[in-house]
Amino acid sequence: MKLKSIVLPVLTALFGIAAAFAADNARPNIVFILADDIGYGDWSCYGATKVKTPNLDRLAAQGRRFTDAHSPSAVCTPTRYAFMTGEYAWRKPGTGILPGTAALIVEPGRVTVPSLLKQAGYTTGVVGKWHLGLGAQSPTDYNGEIKPGPLEIGFDYAWLLPATGDRTPCVWIENHRVVGLDPADPIKLDYTVQRGQPESFVNGIPRIGRQIGGKAALWKDDEIADLLTKKAVAFIEKNKAKPFFLYFATHDIHVPRVPHPRFRGTSQAGVRGDVIQEFDGTIGEIMTALDRLKLADNTLLIVTSDNGGVIDTNGPDEVNAGTVETNNGHLQNGVLRGTKGSPYEGGTRVPFIARWPGHVQTGTSDALICHVDMLATAAALTGQKLTADAGPDSFNILPALLGEKRDQPCRDHLVEHGNVLALRKGQWKLIPASAGGGKNKKGKTRKPTVAELYNLADDIAETKNVAGQHPETVKEMSALLQEVREKGRSRP
Ligand code: CA
């Protein structure tokens, strides 16, 4: 056999592999994991000692750990809306925390993270908590084809927990239908029923809104984390041969906190700590699956949270436990002030780890970034240009992920969305005076009645209001916040 007849095909094959590798490298798989209500201090790589998160710590060591990453809002729905659309949710009425009867709030046809990636040839999937509404009108009819939903705004596949774990309906949706629904026992929801009323209990746990019917389709609370992980891994496995985008929104660690028995009692911070460790177990399984399928090197894996941490029982029963006592001194938001819902840093500054071996530089980054930036970042990653009306508040944070241009921030300001709007710029944080004043209905988060200015460079815990010493900064930042509000966009 002549040498040429062996060498040529081998070379051709090698070049083919190299070309395919280059193409794949230009378009990594993207797995974006959004935890629920996990705070800045909840993982050991962010300082926790009473909760152990070995998988997240390993991920942080292999990737880049951000210290100034923010959720676009201090609560669930608006964060998810902004992540999906690249638009601050506070610009659009009706994007507050939704009931399980709400219609879809993302207009089909607009540019979203999944629709943009689909355009670039990605197969797109969502697994987990949706909470962006379903159907064309409220109340959602869960008994037939449920649409529009994720499949109408860019996803190829959906496995959903429709609203939240503590809101009805307590059933799974796959693509357009409730899984395992008996047509003879249709679902009807009554959102006049408050959590804690006798009619609000499902699986022995009080929910917001009563669920009538759908008995055969009810989820099992202590199996939610395992089932979602299984669905996420199945999506990855099914699509391993081509570029894919998976948006994996976990139920952990939102209430009700019902860990699988193997995690119960494993932390030193009560049930709330146990479900953080269950979340860490989920991350471990995703990492193992990426390794097993030899996808880890070609996957941008991001793990973060949808808002800051909070100690809440959110109901009369013990399974929701998460009290100051059971928390045992664990600081869910580290040294930060405020919690979920608040305009202080504890409301939106969240853990954020990104890994893409050989591309995302290892170490830590103090770059100011936000989940609202994912749209412009996905566009940059796939070589697409955003149209002028798409993602009005989305900045490309690829340089921060890849570690280039360390001295140039990707965004020089950010609006933080708590119960009032706050503004970050450089070392400064402005919370303008609010007409509302006082406390909210739970007596938790007050709205500042005078302007508050903090110098985060030496006061990250927002303890000293220095507005009086820096009237010019207050004036400039107030004007910028007003401009960002009035202009309808902040992306250049
Ligand atoms: Ca949340």
Side-chain angles (χ1 to χ4, degrees):
M1 196 181 278
K2 285 180 183 169
L3 188 62
K4 198 173 147 190
S5 66
I6 299 169
V7 171
L8 266 183
V10 170
L11 279 180
T12 310
L14 283 177
F15 278 122
I17 290 165
F21 183 72
D24 281 351
N25 256 350
R27 291 193 310 171
N29 306 307
I30 302 170
V31 177
F32 187 86
I33 302 180
L34 190 64
D36 201 345
D37 290 8
I38 278 183
Y40 193 69
D42 273 331
W43 301 345
S44 26
C45 49
Y46 280 84
T49 56
K50 294 186 167 151
V51 174
K52 304 274 190 249
T53 55
N55 294 301
L56 287 153
D57 302 349
R58 186 160 51 94
L59 188 71
Q62 295 170 353
R64 201 161 174 80
R65 188 176 68 85
F66 286 78
T67 61
D68 201 3
H70 290 257
S71 55
S73 174
V75 289
C76 300
T77 299
T79 278
R80 287 151 207 270
Y81 174 88
F83 158 70
M84 203 67 75
T85 62
E87 176 184 38
Y88 287 138
W90 47 262
R91 295 196 188 282
K92 188 173 161 178
T95 57
I97 300 171
L98 296 177
T101 48
L104 179 67
I105 57 169
V106 179
E107 312 93 308
R110 80 176 287 169
V111 178
T112 62
V113 173
S115 77
L116 180 103
L117 289 170
K118 198 169 166 163
Q119 190 84 14
Y122 281 66
T123 303
T124 55
V126 52
V127 170
K129 170 173 164 175
W130 183 241
H131 213 189
L132 288 170
L134 289 162
Q137 60 204 22
S138 177
T140 312
D141 179 4
Y142 285 97
N143 299 302
E145 247 200 337
I146 307 158
K147 62 181 195 181
L151 269 51
E152 284 66 43
I153 62 163
F155 286 105
D156 295 310
Y157 176 76
W159 178 278
L160 306 179
L161 186 157
T164 63
D166 65 342
R167 282 178 176 79
T168 57
C170 301
V171 297
W172 298 113
I173 292 174
E174 186 170 32
N175 297 327
H176 287 138
R177 290 192 181 270
V178 171
V179 178
L181 181 66
D182 175 1
D185 184 29
I187 293 170
K188 189 169 175 287
L189 305 181
D190 178 1
Y191 264 76
T192 64
V193 172
Q194 308 290 313
R195 180 168 46 206
Q197 284 181 243
E199 304 82 13
S200 75
F201 281 72
V202 178
N203 294 348
I205 295 168
R207 319 279 172 166
I208 302 170
R210 178 185 185 187
Q211 177 175 336
I212 302 152
K215 295 271 183 302
L218 289 178
W219 66 48
K220 294 192 172 72
D221 286 270
D222 64 356
E223 292 175 6
I224 289 177
D226 282 343
L227 183 61
L228 289 180
T229 304
K230 195 175 120 191
K231 295 292 172 187
V233 169
F235 177 84
I236 292 170
E237 183 138 25
K238 188 175 178 208
N239 296 289
K240 63 186 175 191
K242 52 203 172 183
F244 62 82
F245 164 58
L246 172 63
Y247 167 43
F248 181 17
T250 68
H251 161 64
D252 280 338
I253 65 161
H254 198 281
V255 291
R257 301 189 176 112
V258 190
H260 187 272
R262 73 183 185 280
F263 287 101
R264 194 173 278 276
T266 58
S267 81
Q268 292 176 271
V271 175
R272 190 178 178 282
D274 298 345
V275 291
I276 296 171
Q277 297 193 172
E278 179 173 76
F279 176 80
D280 183 71
T282 291
I283 300 308
E285 292 201 32
I286 297 294
M287 291 170 76
T288 300
L290 291 173
D291 286 341
R292 174 170 60 84
L293 299 166
K294 304 200 173 1
L295 294 172
D297 283 348
N298 191 35
T299 298
L300 171 60
L301 173 59
I302 292 174
V303 187
T304 185
S305 178
D306 73 334
N307 51 249
V310 64
I311 296 179
D312 50 359
T313 52
N314 254 6
D317 71 323
E318 275 303 305
V319 292
N320 290 316
T323 64
V324 173
E325 291 73 28
T326 60
N327 218 29
N328 189 26
H330 170 71
L331 298 174
Q332 70 272 14
N333 294 311
V335 298
L336 303 180
R337 176 175 177 179
T339 63
K340 173 180 181 177
S342 134
Y344 296 104
E345 291 294 289
T348 64
R349 195 187 289 223
V350 288
F352 187 107
I353 300 172
R355 182 189 77 173
W356 180 17
H359 298 270
V360 167
Q361 286 193 3
T362 55
T364 59
S365 169
D366 59 1
L368 180 65
I369 61 170
C370 179
H371 309 348
V372 74
D373 297 329
M374 287 304 133
L375 184 73
T377 305
L381 196 59
T382 53
Q384 299 182 80
K385 198 171 168 3
L386 284 183
T387 50
D389 58 340
D393 300 298
S394 191
F395 288 68
N396 170 21
I397 62 159
L398 212 48
L401 291 174
L402 303 182
E404 302 159 345
K405 299 181 188 168
R406 278 168 193 261
D407 50 339
Q408 290 171 32
C410 300
R411 49 161 64 245
D412 76 342
H413 67 276
L414 174 72
V415 177
E416 293 184 11
H417 179 211
N419 59 344
V420 293
L421 296 183
L423 184 73
R424 285 282 311 279
K425 187 171 175 24
Q427 80 232 58
W428 301 108
K429 163 83 171 273
L430 174 77
I431 307 175
S434 163
K439 291 175 176 177
N440 71 7
K441 60 179 187 240
K442 287 182 181 170
K444 276 183 180 171
T445 318
R446 78 191 173 84
K447 290 182 176 179
T449 49
V450 294
E452 295 181 15
L453 182 73
Y454 298 100
N455 182 354
L456 300 184
D458 62 16
D459 181 24
I460 197 174
E462 298 170 279
T463 60
K464 294 185 291 282
N465 180 7
V466 294
Q469 290 99 295
H470 300 277
E472 280 306 309
T473 306
V474 172
K475 204 172 144 191
E476 279 165 27
M477 289 183 69
S478 300
L480 176 59
L481 180 56
Q482 194 181 345
E483 185 193 319
V484 169
R485 294 179 73 146
E486 286 171 2
K487 226 171 156 186
R489 62 184 295 121
S490 55
R491 180 164 68 86

